[in-house]
């Protein structure tokens, strides 16, 4: 498995510098969930006493690997919400830019829960997502099971997938950082529609935290549903639930398809 995310955070250099090792790469760049997670880890390190994370907007601008740094700045700090911009760079090259919104709880008469988990078998009753070795380096950091939707490039999909994932080593990682590291693990929802592997690249990703008490440990179901696909891009909505069925994250992604 190599270097865990917790070990990477523990070895942080000055100025929120991290060393991304080969086992976290996704082709020629870092796994996007790790880039976002390191941006959040660096932000939490630099700014004390932040409110719970409520949402994040993430742009994957360029490739990165090896030694990277995270720089963050407060855009606005109000009585109940704080907005922080965080950049992950390799040398002078910007790789990932995040906008984080942190917010304190407040009293409200509104209580809604219209985000049910799909009815799927428990993780232990599902097939392994990859039958042999994980196809991409970073996936070796996770256990994965297929609830439904097919596997990448098997030609059986319809643009709707649901997979169980968990971090193999969640120790030493702040809970919100664990959630970001987990939430980007599935391939685009259209990948099982392909009959041969093709390169992909996530361009933008937006997430909303639905449970600020979630630990990010254990199995989580992640569902991705493609809503449009044209001109080499696909737009998908996403949801993540813990093993007890509690909603944890909601999100959207735009993904570039090179095939």
């Amino acid at each position: 498995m190599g270097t865990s995310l917790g070990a990477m955070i523990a070895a942080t250099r000055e100025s929120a510098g991290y060393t991304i090792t080969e086992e976290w790469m996704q082709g020629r760049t870092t796994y996007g969930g790790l880039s976002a997670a390191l941006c959040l880890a660096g932000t939490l390190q630099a700014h004390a006493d932040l409110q719970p994370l409520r949402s994040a907007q993430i742009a994957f601008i360029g490739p990165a690997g090896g030694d990277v740094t995270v720089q963050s700045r407060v855009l606005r700090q109000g009585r109940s919400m704080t907005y922080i911009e965080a950049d992950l760079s390799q040398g002078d090259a910007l790789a990932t830019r995040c906008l984080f919104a942190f917010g304190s709880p407040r009293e409200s008469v509104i209580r809604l829960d219209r985000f049910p988990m799909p009815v799927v078998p428990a993780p232990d009753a599902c097939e392994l997502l990859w039958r042999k070795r994980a196809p991409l380096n970073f996936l070796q950091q996770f256990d994965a099971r297929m609830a439904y939707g097919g596997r990448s490039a098997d030609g059986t999909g319809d643009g709707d997938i649901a997979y169980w994932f968990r971090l193999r080593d969640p120790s030493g990682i702040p809970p919100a950082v664990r959630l970001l590291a987990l939430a980007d693990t599935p391939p685009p929802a259209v990948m099982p529609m392909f009959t041969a592997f093709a390169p992909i690249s996530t361009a933008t990703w937006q997430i909303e935290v639905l449970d600020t008490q979630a630990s990010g440990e254990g199995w989580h179901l992640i569902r991705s549903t493609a809503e449009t696909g044209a001109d080499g891009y696909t737009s998908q909505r996403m949801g993540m639930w813990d093993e007890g069925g509690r909603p944890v994250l909601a999100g959207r992604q735009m993904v570039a398809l090179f095939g």
Side-chain angles (χ1 to χ4, degrees), residues 220-244:
H220 287 72
L221 183 76
I222 305 174
R223 180 184 186 184
S224 300
T225 306
E227 295 181 325
T228 64
D231 300 324
Y233 297 89
T234 182
S235 175
Q236 63 183 33
R237 69 178 185 271
M238 306 175 74
M240 186 162 84
W241 298 261
D242 67 16
E243 196 172 357

Side-chain angles (χ1 to χ4, degrees), residues 1-12 18-25 31 34 38 66 137-142 167-171 173:
M1 186 179 73
T3 305
S4 69
L5 176 54
M8 197 180 304
I9 293 172
T12 305
Y18 303 92
T19 299
I20 298 171
T21 50
E22 181 66 25
E23 60 267 19
W24 280 100
M25 300 298 286
Y31 158 56
L34 177 67
L38 291 180
N137 289 2
F138 81 92
L139 290 173
Q140 298 171 53
Q141 301 288 333
F142 303 91
L167 272 163
R168 289 185 174 174
D169 184 359
S171 60
I173 310 170

Side-chain angles (χ1 to χ4, degrees), residues 159-185:
D160 187 14
I161 61 174
Y163 301 152
W164 289 103
F165 282 96
R166 68 179 174 189
L167 272 163
R168 289 185 174 174
D169 184 359
S171 60
I173 310 170
V177 176
R178 287 193 200 112
L179 295 180
L180 283 186
L182 270 172
D184 192 35
T185 41

Side-chain angles (χ1 to χ4, degrees), residues 38-189:
L38 291 180
C39 282
L40 181 57
T43 296
L44 296 177
Q45 176 186 338
H47 305 278
D49 301 322
L50 287 170
Q51 306 99 318
L53 180 67
R54 298 288 172 177
S55 71
Q57 296 174 337
I58 302 151
F60 299 107
I61 297 167
D67 291 341
V68 299
T69 57
V70 172
Q71 294 181 321
S72 60
R73 65 188 183 100
V74 176
L75 301 178
R76 184 179 187 278
Q77 187 162 18
R79 285 182 295 179
S80 62
M81 293 201 70
T82 301
Y83 294 87
I84 295 180
E85 181 182 74
D87 289 344
L88 183 144
S89 303
Q90 183 176 18
D92 295 330
L94 176 62
T96 302
R97 172 162 289 174
C98 298
L99 175 61
F100 296 120
F102 300 87
S104 301
R106 57 170 67 94
E107 292 293 329
S108 174
V109 298
I110 302 300
R111 297 290 293 180
L112 293 174
D113 185 2
R114 297 176 179 170
F115 203 66
M117 188 175 81
V119 178
V120 297
D124 290 345
C126 296
E127 294 182 9
L128 295 173
L129 182 56
W130 41 84
R131 297 183 178 93
K132 297 180 180 178
R133 181 179 179 273
L136 294 169
N137 289 2
F138 81 92
L139 290 173
Q140 298 171 53
Q141 301 288 333
F142 303 91
D143 292 316
R145 302 272 178 160
M146 183 180 68
Y148 66 74
R151 296 176 174 85
S152 291
D154 69 2
T156 65
D158 62 359
D160 187 14
I161 61 174
Y163 301 152
W164 289 103
F165 282 96
R166 68 179 174 189
L167 272 163
R168 289 185 174 174
D169 184 359
S171 60
I173 310 170
V177 176
R178 287 193 200 112
L179 295 180
L180 283 186
L182 270 172
D184 192 35
T185 41

